[in-house]
Amino acid sequence: MSESEPRLETALTRLVGVRHPVVQTGMGWVAGPRLVAATAEAGGLGILASATMSYPELAAAITETRRRTAAPFGVNLRADATDAAERVELLISERVAVASFALAPRQEMIARLKDAGVVVIPSVGAARHAEKVAAWGADAVIVQGGEGGGHTGGVATTLLLPTVLDAVDIPVIAAGGFYDGRGLAAALAYGAAGVAMGTRFLLTRESTVPDEVKRLYLGFGLDGTVVTTRVDGLPHRVLRTELVRGLEGAGRWRGLARSVANAARFRGLSGLSWPALVREGLAMRHGRDLTWAQVLMAANTPMLLRAGLVQGRTDAGVLASGQVVGVLDDLPSCAELISDMVAQATRILTALAPTPAPETTPAPTSDTGPALHL
C-alpha cells in the first residue's frame, strides 16, 4: 500500500481495527479463506461464511485465513444452528475479531462473545430488529436494503438506512446497492459507519466462484435479478436464469419432487440426518406459514447455491445477486476495489466539506496516508 493512500476513519474502523470502512459479507460457498484474507489484507473487514461449513471445516478455514493474514477478520454464524454454542466457543478460543449473524443471536450468546472481547455485528432488516439487538448489547449492525442479493426485504436502502440510524446509537453498516466510492460517500453522509458488499466482492479476482460463472454475472443488466419465493419460500434476490424461470413456472408437485431430490443430495454432502435437515428448513421459516414443499426448498437451498457458485452448474444452480450486478463490468482484486472506493469517497467528501477542509492526521503506521475522520 502506498504511503499516500487515504484512509476513512469511522466508528467501524475504530471498533474493529481495520483501515477502511468496507465489509465483505459472509456469502455461503463464496466467502472462504482466500477472499476473506484478501479483503483483510486490503484493509477491509472480511467475513467467513460458516453456514455452509461443518464445524471441522470452519476450524480449518479460520486457521487457513490466519495463515494468510494477520489483520482482523470475522465469521458469520447461524444463531439457530444446532452447534451454535460450540462455534461461539471456537471463535473465542481462536480470538476471531468479529462474529456476525444473519439472524438475531440470543442475548446470552451476545453476552458470551462480548465478555470474551469478540465484536458482535448482527444483520437486521428493520429498525425494530436493530433496537432489539442493540438493547441486548450488539456492538454494531448491518442493515440491508431490498437492492441486496440473497434473502432480502422490500424496502430500499435509501429509506431503510435512515430509519435504523434514527433508532439506535451504535454503528450502522449499510448494505444493498453499494459497489463504489460514490455509494460509500453517500452512506457515510447518511451517518452510516461503513458499507457491506456481497455481489461486488463475489466479482473479484480472489473470489473462488468459477470464472465462467463470473462472466455470466457480468452479462446481466439492471433488470437481470428477480426476487422470488420459489427457491426456499422466502424472498430471495437471484439472477434471472433459466433455472429460476423454471422454478417460477413449476407446478406444485414438480417443485416438491425437485426439492426432495436436492434435499437428499445436500443431506449426503452435509452428513445431516433427515430430521436435522427438516429442522434446518423449519428454522428458515422465520414465523411464516410455509408448506412442506417450501420447508424442503428451504432445506435444499444450500445445494442449489453450491451447484452454481462452486460447481459452476448454471443450469442446475441458483445464483444469488444484488441489483448492482447490472452496473458491474470488471473483476478487480480486493486491494484495487477497496483502494479505489476509499480514494473516490475521500475526494467526494473533501470536495463537499466546508473550508477549512476536514482535519487530517498522520496514520499510526508509516504505510498509510492521512485519515479523514468521520
Side-chain angles (χ1 to χ4, degrees):
M1 181 175 58
S2 168
E3 291 186 8
S4 62
E5 181 179 276
R7 291 188 308 118
L8 287 171
E9 183 180 310
T10 71
L12 172 63
T13 63
R14 293 188 290 271
L15 175 67
V16 180
V18 294
R19 296 196 306 274
H20 304 306
V22 178
V23 179
Q24 163 254 301
T25 60
M27 300 166 282
W29 306 116
V30 177
R34 190 170 85 179
L35 179 60
V36 171
T39 301
E41 285 292 285
L45 175 62
I47 299 178
L48 282 170
S50 77
T52 50
M53 297 178 185
S54 66
Y55 181 94
E57 288 171 338
L58 174 57
I62 292 172
T63 299
E64 174 65 12
T65 304
R66 182 155 287 124
R67 185 187 68 80
R68 290 171 174 262
T69 182
F73 64 91
V75 172
N76 183 260
L77 299 173
R78 280 269 306 268
D80 58 350
T82 55
D83 61 350
E86 290 79 7
R87 292 180 184 236
V88 164
E89 295 305 318
L90 175 64
L91 266 62
I92 292 170
S93 65
E94 292 293 332
R95 299 188 178 184
V96 172
V98 174
S100 74
F101 292 88
L103 300 175
R106 297 184 301 276
Q107 186 172 5
E108 58 269 26
M109 190 177 290
I110 294 177
R112 174 68 184 127
L113 287 160
K114 284 176 63 69
D115 287 346
V118 180
V119 174
V120 179
I121 307 179
S123 294
V124 299
R128 66 181 185 276
H129 301 152
E131 290 174 325
K132 179 174 70 174
V133 296
W136 287 354
D139 296 291
V141 291
I142 296 174
V143 56
Q144 177 178 302
E147 301 95 323
H151 292 120
T152 194
V155 180
T157 304
T158 51
L159 298 175
L160 183 59
L161 175 60
T163 67
V164 175
L165 286 165
D166 288 344
V168 297
D169 59 3
I170 59 176
V172 176
I173 303 157
F178 297 101
Y179 63 97
D180 67 0
R182 293 172 297 181
L184 175 56
L188 296 177
Y190 267 105
V195 298
M197 303 184 297
T199 305
R200 176 67 279 191
F201 275 105
L202 184 154
L203 294 172
T204 58
R205 291 203 291 273
E206 290 90 353
S207 164
T208 56
V209 171
D211 288 343
E212 63 271 21
V213 178
K214 292 178 184 178
R215 288 193 293 270
L216 178 70
Y217 269 86
L218 293 177
F220 280 80
L222 282 171
D223 61 349
T225 66
V226 61
V227 176
T228 178
T229 60
R230 298 306 297 270
V231 174
D232 58 13
L234 300 172
H236 203 132
R237 186 177 293 282
V238 296
L239 288 183
R240 198 188 297 269
T241 61
E242 288 301 319
L243 172 65
V244 170
R245 291 191 181 94
L247 288 173
E248 290 271 271
R252 177 183 176 186
W253 292 110
R254 182 182 172 192
L256 178 60
R258 184 193 297 266
S259 298
V260 170
N262 279 325
R265 292 170 61 205
F266 182 61
R267 188 182 75 87
L269 181 72
S270 65
L272 293 174
S273 65
W274 277 108
L277 191 64
V278 172
R279 285 197 299 272
E280 288 283 304
L282 290 170
M284 299 180 69
R285 293 178 68 179
H286 297 274
R288 296 170 184 257
D289 184 21
L290 300 186
T291 66
W292 279 106
Q294 288 172 319
V295 168
L296 282 170
M297 288 163 68
N300 86 77
T301 297
M303 195 80 250
L304 293 173
L305 292 169
R306 179 179 183 271
L309 297 173
V310 178
Q311 298 172 329
R313 292 286 309 280
T314 56
D315 61 325
V318 169
L319 301 170
S321 176
Q323 287 183 303
V324 298
V325 71
V327 295
L328 303 180
D329 59 6
D330 63 345
L331 297 172
S333 68
C334 290
E336 292 166 345
L337 170 62
I338 293 176
S339 176
D340 289 348
M341 282 185 66
V342 171
Q344 185 182 30
T346 301
R347 289 194 299 270
I348 292 170
L349 293 170
T350 301
L352 292 174
T355 303
E359 177 188 358
T360 60
T361 59
T365 57
S366 62
D367 63 346
T368 59
L372 184 61
H373 298 269
L374 299 166

